[in-house]
Amino acid sequence: MNTASKPRIKPVDVDLTEPLKSKMEKVFPAALRSPNLYRSVARNEALFIDMIDMNFIGPTGLLDRKMIPPRRRELLILRTCMQAKNEYESHLHERTISERMGLTLLEIDDLKNADINKDIWSDEDISLIALTDVLVNTTSVPDDIFERAATYFSEPELIEMTLLVGLYTSVAMLVSLIRPEFDPY
């Protein structure tokens, strides 16, 4: 993302009016300025409201049904951001939620590397990182990567994790389209 570029789609004003104000407060505390990307997507107000009403967008991100533990979700999200070259979303998560979800600063930094430091990750985490990498980069899952992940995760978990990676890949596409300015967190 070219952060020096002007946004292509400007966010709605940070001083939201109803119904966006109450909907955004379901996702972000009033003391925390809502992200530029969310307010840009809110240019399509009906879609944005539907996304919140359907619990598609929540306080911990997209599609948090609580099946995937918070740390694992955040690992998947940050690795997807790295692979999809989504600096905006990565920055947003790092500044607001990544540590609260259980990742250490060392892990957060390592997820930005093409080749992770396998000494700091469990085998379970390494299988998720490998799965994320192939999903984002090829949309194809080789048998060996599937079998490794399937030793640690159930079929329902694998399905939900794959959807999560896909959703955050879509977020990277939105960021590429909109070019939001980094949020001041």
Side-chain angles (χ1 to χ4, degrees):
M1 178 182 80
N2 182 355
T3 55
S5 299
K6 291 175 67 175
R8 289 179 174 158
I9 299 175
K10 289 187 176 189
V12 296
D13 191 87
V14 71
D15 296 320
L16 299 171
T17 58
E18 292 301 338
L20 285 176
K21 182 179 180 184
S22 59
K23 296 297 180 181
M24 193 71 77
E25 287 172 355
K26 288 177 70 175
V27 181
F28 289 93
L32 183 63
R33 177 183 164 149
S34 53
N36 289 322
L37 179 62
Y38 280 48
R39 287 184 294 107
S40 295
V41 173
R43 287 281 175 197
N44 184 331
E45 187 173 299
L47 174 65
F48 187 75
I49 289 170
D50 283 349
M51 291 169 74
I52 291 174
D53 287 346
M54 294 183 309
N55 293 318
F56 185 78
I57 299 175
T60 56
L62 301 179
L63 192 70
D64 189 355
R65 298 180 54 249
K66 310 297 184 223
M67 174 183 271
I68 304 169
R71 182 186 171 280
R72 189 170 297 147
R73 269 182 58 81
E74 197 62 17
L75 181 158
L76 288 164
I77 292 166
L78 287 184
R79 189 59 177 189
T80 300
C81 289
M82 180 277 187
Q83 290 295 330
K85 298 173 181 42
N86 186 353
E87 295 174 48
Y88 172 87
E89 190 72 13
S90 181
H91 177 267
L92 175 64
H93 274 255
E94 287 175 42
R95 302 284 194 234
T96 61
I97 198 170
S98 294
E99 287 182 86
R100 281 189 311 153
M101 295 298 105
L103 290 176
T104 67
L105 289 175
L106 181 64
E107 291 169 332
I108 292 166
D109 285 341
D110 195 51
L111 287 170
K112 297 174 189 175
N113 297 322
D115 296 317
I116 58 162
N117 177 354
K118 293 183 179 176
D119 294 335
I120 68 170
W121 300 101
S122 69
D123 288 343
E124 188 175 297
D125 290 340
I126 292 169
S127 75
L128 281 182
I129 292 166
L131 179 64
T132 303
D133 290 356
V134 298
L135 286 169
V136 175
N137 293 315
T138 68
T139 68
S140 178
V141 180
D143 288 341
D144 62 321
I145 290 177
F146 172 81
E147 289 165 10
R148 186 166 185 197
T151 64
Y152 300 107
F153 306 106
S154 68
E155 291 172 349
E157 287 173 314
L158 288 169
I159 291 167
E160 189 164 328
M161 289 186 288
T162 299
L163 282 173
L164 183 66
V165 169
L167 290 172
Y168 277 89
T169 301
S170 296
V171 170
M173 292 175 191
L174 274 173
V175 167
S176 179
L177 174 79
I178 293 170
R179 290 188 183 157
E181 292 177 359
F182 276 26
D183 298 289
Y185 301 129

